[in-house]
Amino acid sequence: MKRKAWAAGLLMVLTGWSTGSAVAQPALREVTFGTNWLAQAEHGGYYQALADGTYERHGLKVTIVPGGPRADNRMLMSVGKLDFYMGGSLIQAFSAVEKDIPTVVVAAHFQKEPQALMSHPGQGLDTFQSLKTSNDIFLSKSGAATFFQWMKAEFGFKDEQVKPYGFNPAPFIANKLSVQQGYVTSDPLVIEKAAGFKPNVFLLADQGFSTYSTTIETRREVVEKDADLVQRFVDASTIGWYNYLYGDNTKANALIKRDNPEMTDELLAYSVAKMKEYGIVDSGDAQKLGIGAISDARVKDFFDKMVKAGLFKADLDYKQAYTLQFVNKGVGIELKK
């Protein structure tokens, strides 16, 4: 009987079936992350980290809350209803400082904003500078208020060239002398499928629009009181981006299509290819410091351009908009193939 009892005790130790073993397993920390638009490949690193268990391995149970035309996830994050938010360009982050909203950028997963301008080929609009000759540049209200102000200051574009863009490509397709804004990761494909031609594509980042994009933002109090949580979320998301771009992203794409049923495999594949081609995620400082990298010099360069464009006053304490505390550590860089 003693031999059997000893054997049973040994089995419990080997299988981990004991009260002590159960207590030793920490509970996953629940985290909410709001994106700024409907699920797409441009959000792929976060869905990858969710799909392949990277978040769980970092002790996190992450819920991705998709954005969209009726969502205001930035506001929800700023008032504590979401833990993290996927920001756009640094203009939003500078504006938060200007308005005394205590949010901070903790990582920048896009080294280049995908914003581009498109034109018809063979119509005298085949260089970025030549776009200044078009009298019909279709821009959204936000585009006209942000990057077009930089285009005016840097290249001499004029307000009278702007026409309202309602996110319908038909006016651009019909007017061969027009120009339209779009994301380099998706809109050229939309034009090609709808009109049967490949548009000229001019990525604004390659013309000097030096903002970071697809940032991770959170409230300053989270950075100050729960830095370990921020670090784990940033690290896991960064690893997710490496695996999404260079590994098997099948499961991540399935989650994207679950959250956005209108998404297609063709567009997902196109977007991933263009992110690689243009170095949207993995270029510049990210190649040495890891995806998500931020540099003081780069932020200052963009801020100075926005001051020149009239968006902000030169005395704004723009350094309050971001921190280098959680990035530039080479996390996940070994996963690149």
Side-chain angles (χ1 to χ4, degrees):
M1 292 296 293
K2 289 183 179 181
R3 186 184 182 95
K4 291 182 179 180
W6 176 85
L10 177 61
L11 179 62
M12 290 171 63
V13 171
L14 292 176
T15 59
W17 182 50
S18 68
T19 304
S21 176
V23 172
Q25 297 297 324
L28 296 177
R29 178 76 177 272
E30 293 194 8
V31 170
T32 50
F33 175 54
T35 68
N36 57 17
W37 198 245
L38 302 174
Q40 52 193 282
E42 292 85 342
H43 307 170
Y46 313 110
Y47 280 96
Q48 181 76 27
L50 183 63
D52 67 13
T54 298
Y55 283 134
E56 287 193 8
R57 287 190 290 275
H58 283 73
L60 306 174
K61 182 180 180 182
V62 174
T63 299
I64 297 176
V65 182
R70 297 178 183 83
D72 193 350
N73 284 344
R74 168 178 281 278
M75 183 274 291
L76 293 175
M77 179 274 295
S78 66
V79 299
K81 300 297 184 180
L82 296 173
D83 297 303
F84 297 96
Y85 172 71
M86 191 185 82
S89 78
L90 289 177
I91 291 174
Q92 295 173 320
F94 296 155
S95 180
V97 175
E98 186 178 52
K99 297 175 182 177
D100 200 28
I101 300 172
T103 58
V104 59
V105 171
V106 296
H109 284 126
F110 281 11
Q111 291 293 300
K112 298 179 180 182
E113 187 179 53
Q115 190 65 246
L117 295 178
M118 300 180 294
S119 67
H120 291 249
Q123 301 298 323
L125 300 171
D126 297 323
T127 66
F128 185 75
Q129 288 284 356
S130 70
L131 302 184
K132 288 190 295 184
T133 65
S134 174
N135 293 318
D136 300 293
I137 301 178
F138 293 107
L139 300 178
S140 65
K141 288 183 179 179
S142 62
T146 55
F147 63 79
F148 191 70
Q149 300 306 307
W150 162 79
M151 290 168 57
K152 288 163 54 181
E154 291 289 331
F155 300 101
F157 285 81
K158 305 295 183 182
D159 284 327
E160 52 265 30
Q161 295 175 266
V162 175
K163 300 295 186 294
Y165 172 49
F167 297 93
N168 179 352
F172 167 70
I173 293 172
N175 183 350
K176 292 184 178 181
L177 297 179
S178 67
V179 175
Q180 180 192 293
Q181 74 174 71
Y183 260 27
V184 72
T185 48
S186 57
D187 288 290
L189 179 64
V190 172
I191 299 300
E192 184 177 352
K193 291 178 70 68
F197 70 90
K198 293 184 178 181
N200 296 322
V201 178
F202 305 97
L203 185 67
L204 296 186
D206 290 345
Q207 308 300 323
F209 193 65
S210 54
T211 185
Y212 294 112
S213 183
T214 305
T215 61
I216 293 179
E217 299 185 30
T218 190
R219 297 178 304 285
R220 188 167 296 280
E221 66 175 2
V222 177
V223 170
E224 294 171 351
K225 297 179 181 179
D226 209 344
D228 177 67
L229 172 67
V230 178
Q231 189 70 70
R232 283 187 285 149
F233 184 73
V234 168
D235 288 352
S237 299
T238 297
I239 291 170
W241 271 110
Y242 277 110
N243 286 327
Y244 186 73
L245 291 177
Y246 304 116
D248 182 358
N249 57 24
T250 305
K251 292 182 179 179
N253 285 338
L255 290 182
I256 290 171
K257 289 189 291 183
R258 178 202 67 186
D259 283 356
N260 183 5
E262 295 185 1
M263 182 55 60
T264 66
D265 290 330
E266 180 185 24
L267 183 53
L268 287 167
Y270 180 90
S271 298
V272 171
K274 293 303 176 181
M275 282 192 281
K276 292 180 178 179
E277 177 184 341
Y278 285 94
I280 300 298
V281 179
D282 191 10
S283 63
D285 290 335
Q287 294 185 317
K288 293 182 178 180
L289 302 176
I291 288 173
I294 303 174
S295 78
D296 290 324
R298 174 83 174 272
V299 178
K300 183 180 187 304
D301 175 74
F302 184 66
F303 177 73
D304 288 344
K305 289 174 179 175
M306 294 304 98
V307 171
K308 181 180 177 181
L311 271 68
F312 301 101
K313 295 181 179 179
D315 62 354
L316 180 69
D317 188 8
Y318 72 91
K319 290 185 177 181
Q320 294 297 312
Y322 71 101
T323 177
L324 306 184
Q325 181 178 348
F326 305 101
V327 293
N328 303 343
K329 302 177 182 182
V331 171
I333 203 166
E334 73 282 354
L335 297 170
K336 184 176 178 179
K337 301 176 184 177

